[in-house]
């Protein structure tokens, strides 16, 4: 496979996953507006913090001295339709579509047609009106479109190198998004220590689980919502598909399948960095994470994910990278 084809498929998967995550977080915040007790701090600004683009947002829109309603609408526009913001839902789906267009021969007709329809749904003149009038329905449709696209790919794509780069991109993006959401919970969503253990605290932890579509699975596994159990579930669980460790295991499997490297060894920086990160997580426990400091742990995790992504780029996507060998299945 040519490196440019592998890169397009990898980033197509990452952008679709990113768009879906933003849509889910927005929808959860919309629901929290209905359920939140009076006086609870606005949950809109933390959505910008999750994306890691607060400085860019402030430069573009200025520090807020406006009403809560104006802040809400500005952030919704920024996260959803702002074409000048690279991580908005519209920008992500646009870039996913462009990457898919470049490798149409590697995708099924059904997958291309659905992604094209997904893009036009967001880019249509009436999209902003629909988002304003029925926001829950609009963001639910974005999530459903992402699920359907991923389902079509899973049902129609051969399990060769294309599929492995697709899975690699999807799971690295998921791990990154889960770690960011969990990090923001500690440092943005709950700034007042007096809220710990309160109704507000319980609501925020439940919202965090909903933000990764993990509320029901968590309750089945752990029952009562306790912070240390949530951390254990979202970082160390091997069965929940949005847990960090689950994602790293799947990404590593695909990386080794592409290169044909035996498990437990490495032949390039991508394999070395990703396997080291996976091992670090796999041999951690929640007590170690909490005692060390959750923010510090997650900060190192995100640095490790960035390093693994850079390793994949250097090993497979650079202009002088060799043509990829046939996967060993």
């Amino acid at each position: 496979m040519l490196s440019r084809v592998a890169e397009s498929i990898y980033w197509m998967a990452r952008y679709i996953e990113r768009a879906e995550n933003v849509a889910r977080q927005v929808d959860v915040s919309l629901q929290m507006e209905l359920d939140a007790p009076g006086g609870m701090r606005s949950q809109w600004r933390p959505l910008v913090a999750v994306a890691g683009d607060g400085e860019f947002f402030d430069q573009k829109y200025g520090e807020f001295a406006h009403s809560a309603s104006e802040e809400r609408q500005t952030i919704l526009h920024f996260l959803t339709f702002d074409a000048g913001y690279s991580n908005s839902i519209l920008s992500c789906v646009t870039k996913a579509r462009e990457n898919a267009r470049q490798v149409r021969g590697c995708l099924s007709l059904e997958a291309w047609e659905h992604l094209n329809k997904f893009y036009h749904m967001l880019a249509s003149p009436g999209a902003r009106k629909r988002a304003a009038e029925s926001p829950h329905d609009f963001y639910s449709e974005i999530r459903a479109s992402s699920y359907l696209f991923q389902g079509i790919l899973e049902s129609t794509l051969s399990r060769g190198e294309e599929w492995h780069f697709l899975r690699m991109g999807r799971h690295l993006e998921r791990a990154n998004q889960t770690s960011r959401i969990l990090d923001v919970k500690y440092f943005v969503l709950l700034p007042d220590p007096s809220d710990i253990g309160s109704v507000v605290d319980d609501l925020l932890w439940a919202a965090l689980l909903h933000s990764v579509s993990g509320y029901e699975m968590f309750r089945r596994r752990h029952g009562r919502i306790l912070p240390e159990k949530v951390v254990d579930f979202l970082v160390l669980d091997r069965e929940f598909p949005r847990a960090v460790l689950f994602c790293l295991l799947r990404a590593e499997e695909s990386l080794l399948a592409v290169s044909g490297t035996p498990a437990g060894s490495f032949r390039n920086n991508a394999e070395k960095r990703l396997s080291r990160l996976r091992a670090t997580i796999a041999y951690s426990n929640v007590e170690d994470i909490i005692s060390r400091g959750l923010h510090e742990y997650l900060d190192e995790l995100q640095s490790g994910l960035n390093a693994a992504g850079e390793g994949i780029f250097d090993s497979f996507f650079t202009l002088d990278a060799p043509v990829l060998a046939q996967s060993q299945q």
Side-chain angles (χ1 to χ4, degrees):
M1 184 195 298
L2 294 175
S3 61
R4 61 175 178 81
V5 174
E7 184 176 14
S8 292
I9 292 174
Y10 172 88
W11 280 108
M12 177 190 71
R14 291 202 69 153
Y15 284 131
I16 288 295
E17 185 69 25
R18 194 173 300 175
E20 179 200 320
N21 272 274
V22 175
R24 188 186 309 108
Q25 292 164 38
V26 169
D27 197 27
V28 169
S29 292
L30 289 168
Q31 295 300 313
M32 285 184 67
E33 280 190 329
L34 302 177
D35 300 333
M40 182 175 173
R41 184 180 178 183
S42 169
Q43 300 304 302
W44 293 107
R45 185 57 189 245
L47 296 185
V48 180
V50 168
D53 294 313
E55 183 177 347
F56 176 77
F57 178 82
D58 289 336
Q59 290 174 351
K60 186 164 187 177
Y61 294 101
E63 293 289 349
F64 274 114
H66 309 298
S67 68
S69 176
E70 289 173 327
E71 178 183 84
R72 175 184 185 273
Q73 292 306 314
T74 302
I75 291 175
L76 283 174
H77 168 76
F78 177 70
L79 294 175
T80 309
F81 296 113
D82 192 336
Y85 172 46
S86 61
N87 289 324
S88 71
I89 295 173
L90 178 58
S91 292
C92 287
V93 175
T94 299
K95 287 184 284 190
R97 177 176 177 263
E98 178 58 24
N99 278 289
R101 187 189 63 79
Q102 296 179 30
V103 293
R104 281 190 62 179
C106 298
L107 306 177
S108 65
L109 177 62
E110 293 88 349
W112 166 252
E113 287 181 340
H114 177 73
L115 182 54
N116 203 38
K117 181 180 178 181
F118 187 9
Y119 163 77
H120 285 291
M121 183 271 286
L122 285 167
S124 66
R128 289 166 174 77
K129 182 179 179 182
R130 290 180 56 228
E133 293 178 348
S134 302
H136 175 67
D137 292 340
F138 181 77
Y139 289 101
S140 293
E141 185 176 352
I142 293 173
R143 292 170 59 187
S145 294
S146 172
Y147 295 151
L148 181 55
F149 180 62
Q150 294 186 43
I152 292 172
L153 290 172
E154 287 296 306
S155 301
T156 61
L157 202 61
S158 298
R159 277 10 182 203
E161 287 177 343
E162 294 92 345
W163 182 78
H164 283 296
F165 276 105
L166 180 84
R167 189 167 76 148
M168 216 185 301
R170 177 191 304 149
H171 284 95
L172 285 176
E173 186 66 34
R174 280 187 184 176
N176 183 55
Q177 293 293 332
T178 297
S179 66
R180 284 182 176 276
I181 292 169
L182 187 55
D183 197 16
V184 167
K185 157 63 186 174
Y186 263 67
F187 282 82
V188 180
L189 290 182
L190 193 63
D192 187 352
S194 65
D195 287 334
I196 296 175
S198 67
V199 173
V200 171
D201 192 33
D202 292 342
L203 182 61
L204 290 173
W205 281 112
L208 170 64
L209 290 167
H210 281 296
S211 294
V212 294
S213 295
Y215 181 80
E216 290 80 11
M217 294 303 101
F218 175 87
R219 293 300 295 268
R220 287 181 61 185
R221 175 70 64 84
H222 296 289
R224 183 184 175 190
I225 298 178
L226 297 172
E228 61 273 17
K229 295 296 185 182
V230 176
V231 173
D232 182 59
F233 182 68
L234 295 183
V235 177
L236 303 176
D237 198 275
R238 292 173 176 265
E239 298 178 0
F240 179 59
R242 294 186 183 276
V244 172
L245 181 55
F246 179 98
C247 292
L248 293 179
L249 287 166
R250 304 292 86 75
E252 184 186 28
E253 286 173 1
S254 285
L255 179 59
L256 297 178
V258 165
S259 62
T261 302
S265 59
F266 65 89
R267 294 174 178 170
N268 54 54
N269 277 335
E271 294 166 357
K272 181 179 181 180
R273 293 173 183 178
L274 184 55
S275 295
R276 178 190 293 161
L277 180 61
R278 185 271 307 157
T280 299
I281 304 298
Y283 289 97
S284 297
N285 59 50
V286 70
E287 290 79 13
D288 294 337
I289 295 173
I290 298 299
S291 64
R292 181 178 176 183
L294 180 60
H295 172 68
E296 290 74 15
Y297 185 89
L298 293 174
D299 194 48
E300 287 190 16
L301 168 59
Q302 289 163 19
S303 296
L305 288 167
N306 290 336
E310 291 168 1
I312 290 170
F313 178 84
D314 293 339
S315 300
F316 299 107
F317 302 154
T318 53
L319 292 177
D320 57 349
V323 176
L324 302 180
Q326 182 66 31
S327 300
Q328 293 185 12
Q329 300 298 326

